[in-house]
Amino acid sequence: MNIKATLHAMLPHAGLGHLLETYLTWSGVGFICSFIASSLDKHAEVAYAAYYTSALNDAVGFKFWILLAVVGTLLFCLSLPVLYLSLHFPALSDFSRRLRRFTYTFFLVAFDEGGLMIGILTANFIDTSERISLLANKSFLFSDVGFFTILALCLLNSLLWLFGEAIHSRNPQTYSGVVALLMKVPLRFSIPGYIVVTAVLANLVVSQ
């Protein structure tokens, strides 16, 4: 299988159109709300009251996004061996399906929250007013919200979508993409790779 075919096989059933549509929806909401909140707060009587812009801080948080991503990733690591066993022991199929759906839920919420966060940060990148800059520093702990910061978040958030849609496709209610490829890897390669990756992820989570 060449590189082009491999990249195509890595895409889940949902397709890139679903990724783009979801990004436009959630990041669009965050982007528009940021400008509206900033405009409304300009009419506040108390300087830097930032009543509406602070509401965005209550709606989304960087740490909560990390928590969702970590939980989803750990569940993903747990779902893979269960899925493999269910392919050889049909009695585990129902449990595997429920676990994959549960894992998908964390990825889904994290991706949606990440899209909203990216929209807010993009608005901050465009609008350099002091109110919205103070909001970004407080909400996302970034002292300098730049293009590469937003790009990095987009890439990480897209990985959440990639793994989430792969572990549980909503329409056929099965797995696809990266997960389907992993299920085809010979055990002599998949087991050592799985142990190393899972151990590294668990160590990173515990050490943080």
Side-chain angles (χ1 to χ4, degrees):
M1 184 180 294
N2 55 38
I3 297 178
K4 183 177 180 180
T6 302
L7 292 176
H8 180 73
M10 289 176 62
L11 292 177
H13 286 155
L16 291 178
H18 177 265
L19 173 65
L20 180 60
E21 179 184 356
T22 309
Y23 256 134
L24 290 176
T25 300
W26 287 97
S27 61
V29 168
F31 185 82
I32 294 173
C33 284
S34 295
F35 280 101
I36 293 177
S38 180
S39 299
L40 290 173
D41 278 339
K42 288 180 181 178
H43 302 286
E45 295 181 0
V46 181
Y48 301 107
Y51 177 84
Y52 291 103
T53 49
S54 64
L56 296 174
N57 182 37
D58 297 330
V60 63
F62 182 64
K63 290 184 177 180
F64 186 58
W65 176 75
I66 292 178
L67 174 62
L68 290 170
V70 167
V71 174
T73 302
L74 293 177
L75 287 173
F76 182 84
C77 293
L78 178 62
S79 298
L80 290 179
V82 175
L83 173 59
Y84 181 83
L85 291 174
S86 69
L87 298 178
H88 300 275
F89 302 97
L92 293 173
S93 297
D94 186 61
F95 173 70
S96 174
R97 184 173 61 255
R98 292 177 183 273
L99 179 59
R100 288 188 291 108
R101 182 182 301 173
F102 185 62
T103 303
Y104 167 77
T105 302
F106 280 90
F107 280 121
L108 175 66
V109 177
F111 175 73
D112 291 345
E113 181 117 352
L116 185 63
M117 180 172 61
I118 289 168
I120 296 173
L121 292 177
T122 303
N124 169 259
F125 179 66
I126 296 174
D127 183 3
T128 57
S129 66
E130 293 183 63
R131 291 173 184 271
I132 200 167
S133 295
L134 289 172
L135 167 71
N137 292 340
K138 179 181 179 183
S139 302
F140 307 108
L141 307 180
F142 299 139
S143 59
D144 182 21
V145 180
F147 173 77
F148 291 105
T149 301
I150 298 173
L151 180 61
L153 287 172
C154 286
L155 292 175
L156 291 174
N157 206 46
S158 297
L159 287 177
L160 296 180
W161 173 85
L162 181 69
F163 289 114
E165 292 292 338
I167 197 66
H168 178 74
S169 301
R170 289 169 295 175
N171 293 334
Q173 293 189 356
T174 184
Y175 58 92
S176 62
V178 176
V179 176
L181 290 178
L182 291 176
M183 290 299 107
K184 298 177 182 178
V185 177
L187 287 179
R188 65 178 182 274
F189 299 119
S190 61
I191 291 179
Y194 173 80
I195 293 175
V196 171
V197 173
T198 303
V200 170
L201 288 174
N203 182 65
L204 287 175
V205 172
V206 173
S207 63
Q208 294 300 318

